[in-house]
């Protein structure tokens, strides 16, 4: 699991200079799907899924994650829209700051296995399936 370079810089500014990042106070974050690792230099749209009907899933920060001590995992089922056309092999997920477009990628990480999405497949992840850790 890695943070984007922009997020790393925001956290350093917060800890060392007391400057809150713009995304900290918002109540909502979004889960995005990726066909390749967006990488630390990536944004929310780098390698993002493109199947027809795909959309990021909104989550409420206060209740979306379960604290596991050294990691956090999704507290409930996360369901993406059902594919109505096209195909994608989903390999990564990310936590981003916007519902669409090139918002900030906060964290990204690999799925435990590739998820092949095609017509009528609805990507979903059970509670505890998406894990965020600090490296």
């Amino acid at each position: 699991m890695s943070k984007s370079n922009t997020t790393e810089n925001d956290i350093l500014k917060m800890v060392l200079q007391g400057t809150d990042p713009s995304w900290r106070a918002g109540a909502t974050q979004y889960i995005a799907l990726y066909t390749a690792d967006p990488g630390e230099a990536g944004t929310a749209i780098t390698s993002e899924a493109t199947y027809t009907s795909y959309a990021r899933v909104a989550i409420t920060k206060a209740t979306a994650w379960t604290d596991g001590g050294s990691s956090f995992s999704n507290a409930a089922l996360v369901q993406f829209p059902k594919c109505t056309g096209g195909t994608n092999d989903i390999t990564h997920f990310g936590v981003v700051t916007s519902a669409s477009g090139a918002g900030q990628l906060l964290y990204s990480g690999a799925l435990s296995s590739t998820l092949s999405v095609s017509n009528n497949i609805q990507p979903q992840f059970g509670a505890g399936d998406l894990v965020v850790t600090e490296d």
Side-chain angles (χ1 to χ4, degrees):
M1 178 87 348
S2 65
K3 288 188 288 294
S4 70
N5 293 338
T6 303
T7 301
E8 289 173 348
N9 193 45
D10 283 350
I11 291 171
L12 285 171
K13 286 179 182 178
M14 183 175 61
V15 171
L16 300 176
Q17 296 178 329
T19 305
D20 266 349
S22 61
W23 46 263
R24 189 195 63 78
T28 305
Q29 295 172 331
Y30 301 86
I31 303 294
L33 298 178
Y34 297 94
T35 59
D37 185 354
E40 290 189 15
T43 69
I45 61 172
T46 304
S47 301
E48 190 170 17
T50 58
Y51 69 82
T52 305
S53 301
Y54 167 78
R56 297 174 188 164
V57 174
I59 58 171
T60 302
K61 289 189 322 189
T63 58
W65 301 100
T66 300
D67 183 350
S70 61
S71 65
F72 280 69
S73 61
N74 58 307
L77 177 69
V78 175
Q79 285 187 307
F80 287 84
K82 184 188 298 185
C83 176
T84 58
T87 61
N88 280 148
D89 286 332
I90 307 299
T91 61
H92 290 73
F93 77 98
V95 180
V96 302
T97 61
S98 62
S100 62
Q104 186 166 330
L105 175 63
L106 300 174
Y107 286 92
S108 65
L111 298 177
S112 58
S113 62
T114 299
L115 175 61
S116 294
V117 177
S118 58
N119 200 35
N120 292 319
I121 300 293
Q122 181 176 22
Q124 58 184 355
F125 302 91
D129 286 350
L130 303 176
V131 179
V132 177
T133 60
E134 283 289 328
D135 290 336

